[in-house]
Every structure is written in C-alpha cells, then in structure tokens.
Amino acid sequence: MNIIQVFKPKFNEQQKGLPLYCGELSCGLFGISDDFVESYLSLDELFMRNRESTFFVRASGDSMLPEIKNGDILIVDRSYKVLDQSIVAVFHNGNPLCKKFLQRENHILLRSLNKKYSDIQVCDDDELQVFGVVIGVARDFRK
C-alpha cells in the first residue's frame, strides 16, 4: 500500500499554537487546506487557565477504563473546585488514586469507572488529600 501525504500545514514560527481547522473530522473522506484554518490553538492555553496550579501525572492500571487508560497522561488542575462527579487525583490513606468523586449526604465515595472495582467509602478516620481535578487526558495512539 502506498500512502501519500496530501496536506502539509504551513508552520509559522511567530504563531502561538497550532492550526485549529474549522468543522469536525469525520471518519469519511474530507479535504483540509490552509483555507480552512479557523484559529490557532495552543494546548497550554486550552488546558492551563492557571499554569502554577496545573500539573501532569501518568495513569496506571485499569480502574478508570474505558475513559482513562494505563499510560495516559492526566492533566490535573489544583485551582478547580472539587464538585460531585469530578474526576480527581487524590491520596487516600497514603495511596495515590484517580477516581470519580461522589459527594453524598454524610460521606464521600471514590468510584472507579471500571465496573469490576468497588466504590471506596471515605470514613471519618481515613486520610484523604485531594491534589486536583482531572481536566484532560493526553494519549499517544502510536503505542
């Protein structure tokens, strides 16, 4: 099979970010060119509203499948308020975890997205330190 690269975006050293093309990418045939640049997008600007409060951490395990996979890079922001249903990075009794945060009337649950794992109910004598809210995931599809 001979694969031909038909489009090479123009790279401008002075432009902040990469081209964000208008429209959506369908799984069918499409055509893109410089005529379709909607704006320029920097992933730093998209995911970091406060650079000092944002960090990356690598996901491990399968408890957050299917949304978060082993090896994914999680984008975590400490400046976001933790709300019910937030995906959070926490230390629970000394264990670093990524879980869905569920605020109940008189307790907190930490839930895996993978149904084969049980909820963790946070008790009064447990230690829970929330590092931040997961606001994005970066995945390398080449692996």
Side-chain angles (χ1 to χ4, degrees):
M1 174 182 283
N2 188 16
I3 299 174
I4 301 168
Q5 183 175 351
V6 294
F7 175 68
K8 295 180 183 177
K10 293 177 187 171
F11 183 73
N12 180 345
E13 292 279 342
Q14 305 303 315
Q15 183 63 49
K16 191 174 186 180
L18 298 172
L20 172 63
Y21 292 92
C22 55
E24 296 177 353
L25 185 62
S26 74
C27 293
L29 296 175
F30 66 96
I32 56 175
S33 71
D34 288 331
D35 296 337
F36 293 98
V37 173
E38 177 180 312
S39 64
Y40 287 84
L41 176 66
S42 163
L43 293 179
D44 284 359
E45 290 175 5
L46 179 66
F47 287 109
M48 289 186 224
R49 76 174 187 188
N50 186 352
R51 189 174 192 84
E52 291 76 32
S53 68
T54 306
F55 65 93
F56 304 119
V57 64
R58 189 175 306 279
S60 174
D62 66 352
S63 70
M64 295 303 282
L65 286 173
E67 281 80 6
I68 298 172
K69 298 181 180 195
N70 186 53
D72 283 354
I73 302 296
L74 306 179
I75 305 163
V76 181
D77 192 326
R78 295 185 304 268
S79 70
Y80 280 78
K81 182 178 180 179
V82 177
L83 303 172
D84 184 49
Q85 304 290 322
S86 294
I87 304 293
V88 293
V90 301
F91 262 130
H92 176 253
N93 293 335
N95 297 310
L97 303 171
C98 174
K99 300 291 177 202
K100 183 178 266 193
F101 184 91
L102 302 173
Q103 180 71 54
R104 297 301 180 246
E105 218 173 280
N106 55 0
H107 63 278
I108 293 170
L109 292 176
L110 300 175
R111 177 166 290 163
S112 297
L113 300 179
N114 187 335
K115 301 296 184 201
K116 77 178 189 180
Y117 293 93
S118 300
D119 291 346
I120 299 170
Q121 182 170 334
V122 179
C123 301
D124 290 338
D125 57 342
D126 284 350
E127 180 186 336
L128 182 67
Q129 183 178 7
V130 178
F131 286 111
V133 175
V134 177
I135 61 168
V137 176
R139 180 173 301 142
D140 186 347
F141 285 102
R142 298 170 296 173
K143 292 183 180 181

